[in-house]
Amino acid sequence: MKTFKYPITAQFVYRFANIPVTLLLLVHLLLLLWGATYDWKYLLPALLNIIIIYILNRFYFKMYKTFPYKIEADDSKIVFSDFFFQKKIITMKYDDIADIKGGIFSGKPAKPIYILDKNENIVGINQHLKDFNTFLTILLSRIPQNLYVKVLKDMEQLKDKRFANLLKKKLK
């Protein structure tokens, strides 16, 4: 069984980075609201600040629910554990994996990939995982053949689309 974990710095950022950022944005929001009592022009930046706080924390709460910090893979299954504030353990057999989305599979390598199984479990994996490429190799080599073909076909279409867009830009 091969074990994959995030580096300590990545774990810290993925777990706690939103706390100081949210606190700073809240202080800034309070100052903007206080300034709005003198001039209404401060309301637009205050609204923007509220939107940023909402988007940031929505992203982090999604990460808390779906990102495991410990992944163990063997020949028949993957075990996801060490979720933030949760003691849950998700075991996915390779045959039960229904889809793989996001990240390099959607043409956006900086975004996380999401693994979905037939039991409606969703697990997110970020590219900062130690030996991420090894994990992807293990995953792709053991998923069902029809899903593997679908994922490769989707990636090929993304490549063709990207090439066509690049060609259009060059011809203009």
Side-chain angles (χ1 to χ4, degrees):
M1 183 170 283
K2 179 99 169 117
T3 302
F4 302 93
K5 290 186 173 186
Y6 289 94
I8 297 297
T9 53
Q11 284 187 26
F12 184 78
V13 168
Y14 290 146
R15 289 182 180 190
F16 303 113
N18 70 319
I19 296 170
V21 173
T22 301
L23 290 175
L24 288 172
L25 287 171
L26 284 173
V27 168
H28 189 246
L29 176 64
L30 291 174
L31 291 172
L32 287 171
L33 292 175
W34 182 60
T37 60
Y38 297 103
D39 190 1
W40 65 271
K41 294 177 187 172
Y42 289 107
L43 288 177
L44 183 62
L47 180 62
L48 182 63
N49 211 342
I50 291 169
I51 292 170
I52 292 170
I53 291 170
Y54 173 75
I55 291 171
L56 173 73
N57 285 297
R58 185 184 69 182
F59 172 74
Y60 267 86
F61 286 129
K62 182 179 180 182
M63 277 184 48
Y64 292 157
K65 291 191 308 187
T66 60
F67 280 62
Y69 293 97
K70 182 178 177 186
I71 302 166
E72 297 169 319
D74 65 11
D75 292 336
S76 62
K77 67 184 179 306
I78 307 173
V79 179
F80 302 100
S81 60
D82 193 17
F83 289 85
F84 191 63
F85 285 137
Q86 299 176 16
K87 299 289 184 193
K88 72 178 177 180
I89 296 174
I90 297 175
T91 302
M92 282 187 191
K93 292 183 179 179
Y94 293 109
D95 294 334
D96 291 341
I97 295 176
D99 202 2
I100 302 171
K101 296 181 179 184
I104 61 170
F105 303 112
S106 66
K108 299 172 182 161
K111 292 193 174 193
I113 66 167
Y114 292 96
I115 303 169
L116 297 87
D117 72 355
K118 294 176 183 173
N119 299 327
E120 297 182 9
N121 291 319
I122 299 173
V123 177
I125 310 290
N126 206 311
Q127 74 275 7
H128 294 109
L129 184 73
K130 286 182 186 175
D131 297 327
F132 179 71
N133 291 334
T134 305
F135 173 74
L136 278 182
T137 303
I138 291 170
L139 178 67
L140 291 174
S141 67
R142 293 190 171 98
I143 59 174
Q145 183 68 25
N146 60 348
L147 178 58
Y148 180 75
V149 169
K150 177 190 171 288
V151 167
L152 285 182
K153 191 181 294 184
D154 291 347
M155 289 179 69
E156 191 69 31
Q157 288 175 350
L158 285 171
K159 185 179 93 173
D160 293 342
K161 187 184 225 182
R162 209 173 315 134
F163 179 72
N165 288 339
L166 183 64
L167 190 60
K168 284 180 186 178
K169 288 180 183 178
K170 292 271 184 184
L171 293 175
K172 285 185 180 180

